Amino acid sequence: MNDHVWKHRNKEDRVTAAVSGGTSMSSSAMITPTSASTSRLQEQQGQAEERRWTGRLRGRSMGLRVLPALAGLLFLLLWQLRLFHYMFSLEIYQLPVPSSIAISIKDNAEMLFRYAMYSGTEMLGGFLLGSSLGALAAIVACFFPTSGKAAVAVMSALNAIPIVALAPIMNNWFGDGIWSRIAVITVITMAAMAVSLFKGLTSIQPQYHELLGGLAASKLQIFIKLRLPHALPALFAGLKINMSTSIIGAIVGEFFIASQGLGYLLSDQIRLANMPLAWSCIVIAAVLGIVLYEAVVLAEKRLIPWSRV
């Protein structure tokens, strides 16, 4: 009797286990498609969110490009409508409208191009020479930190010299040729590059310097592997500052003894009260400076794309 009961209970247990296994298998079979569909739904939602963010970023980037252009067009339109003449009580001969300036540029295009190339040569010559000398001074100073810091501080005092005082001195030293303006630009760009690059070369976190020192790296190896890559953003910051100030040095230097250049033509036409041509010189000088500045920015993006200055 007991054997019969035990066999009956064992048979019931096997049936229960089979039914439970079948139920769990059917449940897993039902759950698996549901989980897969949920995963696909989440993936689609993530892709939709990514597309929305991409669209927002593109719209914002487009807005940052379009808004300055619209603001510039609005400024030119108000200028053309003589709003600024009414605001500041100016006559048309004192402030010519953009259409008059454009006509003057068209009529004197050959002369303006020739003078712009002359001023551009002065800009590039002084920019390259001053930036190179400033960079060399900063590199030498970083190998001798104590005395080098004092030397860079003394060099930075050159920025306190007014250009209008420096230009006659350089004209006296180098004559009325192109080298006097190149010398002016060299002086005003050398100090800015030295200060900017020296700060980039010396502002190294101590643990990086200690790590290379622990690996028995020489000063030259530390300079090439650590200091120079770290200072590249500071180098391009100095180059952009110098490119902006070099056009000022060229134009102001040409106000004094000179026979060519946009600054010479500008001062000459102001004396003759030919304001459309004078403003044409200002416009061409501004365009020249912007083009050269954007060339430096493009070089920065190409050479150090990892930097976000």
Side-chain angles (χ1 to χ4, degrees), residues 34-167:
T34 304
S35 301
S37 62
T38 303
S39 177
R40 287 195 297 270
L41 180 60
Q42 292 176 352
E43 183 179 357
Q44 291 175 358
Q45 291 177 349
Q47 292 176 354
E49 186 68 20
E50 183 179 357
R51 285 194 295 269
R52 283 196 296 269
W53 276 105
T54 303
R56 291 176 184 176
L57 291 176
R58 289 178 179 176
R60 185 177 300 176
S61 177
M62 184 64 67
L64 292 176
R65 294 178 182 178
V66 172
L67 287 178
L70 293 178
L73 291 176
L74 179 61
F75 177 80
L76 292 176
L77 179 61
L78 296 177
W79 186 357
Q80 180 67 32
L81 296 176
R82 303 183 184 180
L83 176 64
F84 304 120
H85 296 77
Y86 299 133
M87 290 176 58
F88 302 106
S89 301
L90 297 174
E91 299 295 335
I92 193 65
Y93 68 88
Q94 294 175 311
L95 179 63
V97 294
S99 59
S100 300
I101 298 173
I103 294 173
S104 179
I105 293 175
K106 181 181 177 181
D107 294 340
N108 301 277
E110 183 179 355
M111 180 179 62
L112 288 172
F113 178 79
R114 186 173 67 252
Y115 283 8
M117 292 299 100
Y118 186 85
S119 297
T121 303
E122 295 173 347
M123 288 175 57
L124 289 176
F127 168 79
L128 294 175
L129 185 58
S131 299
S132 300
L133 292 177
L136 180 61
I139 292 172
V140 173
C142 79
F143 283 98
F144 308 96
T146 304
S147 58
K149 186 176 182 179
V152 170
V154 172
M155 186 177 294
S156 65
L158 293 175
N159 283 332
I161 302 176
I163 301 177
V164 293
L166 188 62

Side-chain angles (χ1 to χ4, degrees), residues 4-305:
H4 178 71
V5 172
W6 181 83
K7 290 180 181 180
H8 181 70
R9 289 180 177 178
N10 191 16
K11 183 177 180 180
E12 289 179 350
D13 292 340
R14 289 197 298 270
V15 172
T16 303
V19 172
S20 301
T23 304
S24 62
M25 290 178 62
S26 62
S27 300
S28 62
M30 294 175 63
I31 292 172
T32 300
T34 304
S35 301
S37 62
T38 303
S39 177
R40 287 195 297 270
L41 180 60
Q42 292 176 352
E43 183 179 357
Q44 291 175 358
Q45 291 177 349
Q47 292 176 354
E49 186 68 20
E50 183 179 357
R51 285 194 295 269
R52 283 196 296 269
W53 276 105
T54 303
R56 291 176 184 176
L57 291 176
R58 289 178 179 176
R60 185 177 300 176
S61 177
M62 184 64 67
L64 292 176
R65 294 178 182 178
V66 172
L67 287 178
L70 293 178
L73 291 176
L74 179 61
F75 177 80
L76 292 176
L77 179 61
L78 296 177
W79 186 357
Q80 180 67 32
L81 296 176
R82 303 183 184 180
L83 176 64
F84 304 120
H85 296 77
Y86 299 133
M87 290 176 58
F88 302 106
S89 301
L90 297 174
E91 299 295 335
I92 193 65
Y93 68 88
Q94 294 175 311
L95 179 63
V97 294
S99 59
S100 300
I101 298 173
I103 294 173
S104 179
I105 293 175
K106 181 181 177 181
D107 294 340
N108 301 277
E110 183 179 355
M111 180 179 62
L112 288 172
F113 178 79
R114 186 173 67 252
Y115 283 8
M117 292 299 100
Y118 186 85
S119 297
T121 303
E122 295 173 347
M123 288 175 57
L124 289 176
F127 168 79
L128 294 175
L129 185 58
S131 299
S132 300
L133 292 177
L136 180 61
I139 292 172
V140 173
C142 79
F143 283 98
F144 308 96
T146 304
S147 58
K149 186 176 182 179
V152 170
V154 172
M155 186 177 294
S156 65
L158 293 175
N159 283 332
I161 302 176
I163 301 177
V164 293
L166 188 62
I169 296 175
M170 295 303 171
N171 285 330
N172 189 21
W173 289 1
F174 298 100
D176 59 350
I178 192 174
W179 286 105
S180 62
R181 269 80 68 189
I182 291 178
V184 171
I185 300 171
T186 299
V187 172
I188 65 176
T189 56
M190 181 173 56
M193 174 56 71
V195 173
S196 178
L197 185 57
F198 180 76
K199 184 178 180 180
L201 290 171
T202 54
S203 60
I204 305 294
Q205 295 185 9
Q207 57 267 31
Y208 296 153
H209 195 277
E210 292 173 0
L211 175 62
L212 290 181
L215 296 174
S218 64
K219 288 186 176 181
L220 182 59
Q221 290 174 330
I222 293 175
F223 174 80
I224 295 175
K225 299 294 184 180
L226 178 61
R227 293 187 185 275
L228 187 58
H230 181 269
L232 285 178
L235 172 66
F236 277 97
L239 290 176
K240 287 187 285 188
I241 293 172
N242 287 346
M243 185 55 73
S244 300
T245 56
S246 61
I247 184 64
I248 301 174
I251 297 299
V252 175
E254 290 170 354
F255 281 169
F256 297 90
I257 305 173
S259 57
Q260 294 188 64
L262 293 174
Y264 160 76
L265 184 61
L266 173 61
S267 61
D268 185 60
Q269 296 305 310
I270 289 176
R271 285 194 297 267
L272 296 175
N274 188 3
M275 298 309 295
L277 185 54
W279 275 88
S280 300
C281 297
I282 296 174
V283 171
I284 297 299
V287 171
L288 182 61
I290 292 172
V291 169
L292 294 177
Y293 179 86
E294 290 298 328
V296 176
V297 173
L298 180 61
E300 180 185 19
K301 291 180 180 179
R302 296 292 184 183
L303 295 178
I304 51 173

